[in-house]
């Protein structure tokens, strides 16, 4: 029994998979990439579909972060305006007492 074939043990990490997929994007055929790295074509295409799926998830995450950033900027602007208004009012009231 080969120990490398145990379920759950990965031969390649995410960074290595990305490098392998980029080789194909650079113009190397799928067959050549698979032969070079000792993987099957179905594995290559599964990695490719997962990689593109992650791009969609990443885009959603970025959009959500951008929306949250806009809300926080608005809250900061409102808080700064409120602080400036309070400072002006305090300055006027302290001048009136002198």
């Amino acid at each position: 029994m080969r120990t490398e074939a145990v379920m759950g043990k990965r031969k390649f990490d995410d960074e290595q998979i990305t490098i392998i997929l980029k080789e194909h994007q650079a113009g190397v055929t799928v067959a050549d990439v698979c032969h070079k790295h000792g993987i099957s074509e179905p594995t290559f295409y599964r990695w490719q579909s997962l990689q593109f799926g992650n791009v969609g998830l990443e885009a959603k995450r970025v959009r959500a972060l951008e929306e949250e950033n806009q809300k926080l900027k608005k809250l900061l602007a409102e808080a700064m305006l409120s602080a400036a208004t309070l400072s002006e009012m305090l300055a006027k009231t302290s001048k009136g007492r002198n």
Side-chain angles (χ1 to χ4, degrees):
M1 181 176 167
R2 293 178 12 178
T3 56
E4 300 91 34
V6 175
M7 288 291 284
K9 183 167 182 166
R10 294 178 61 181
K11 186 175 177 181
F12 299 98
D13 63 21
D14 292 340
E15 187 176 327
Q16 291 169 323
I17 291 171
T18 301
I19 291 169
I20 292 169
L21 293 174
K22 285 183 179 180
E23 279 184 41
H24 172 64
Q25 291 174 347
V28 181
T29 65
V30 173
D32 289 341
V33 170
C34 292
H35 180 71
K36 177 181 175 183
H37 297 285
I39 60 172
S40 68
E41 288 188 25
T43 297
F44 176 86
Y45 288 116
R46 182 171 35 95
W47 288 351
Q48 196 174 43
S49 68
L50 291 173
Q51 185 83 3
F52 289 128
N54 288 340
V55 169
L57 292 175
E58 187 66 25
K60 287 180 186 177
R61 185 175 161 269
V62 168
R63 254 184 266 120
L65 288 172
E66 287 173 348
E67 288 174 8
E68 182 181 4
N69 194 28
Q70 287 300 320
K71 289 176 186 175
L72 291 172
K73 283 181 180 181
K74 184 178 178 183
L75 287 171
L76 177 63
E78 290 172 354
M80 290 175 72
L81 180 62
S82 178
T85 304
L86 289 172
S87 293
E88 287 178 24
M89 290 173 58
L90 182 62
K92 287 180 184 178
T93 57
S94 63
K95 283 183 185 177
R97 290 185 182 174
N98 292 331

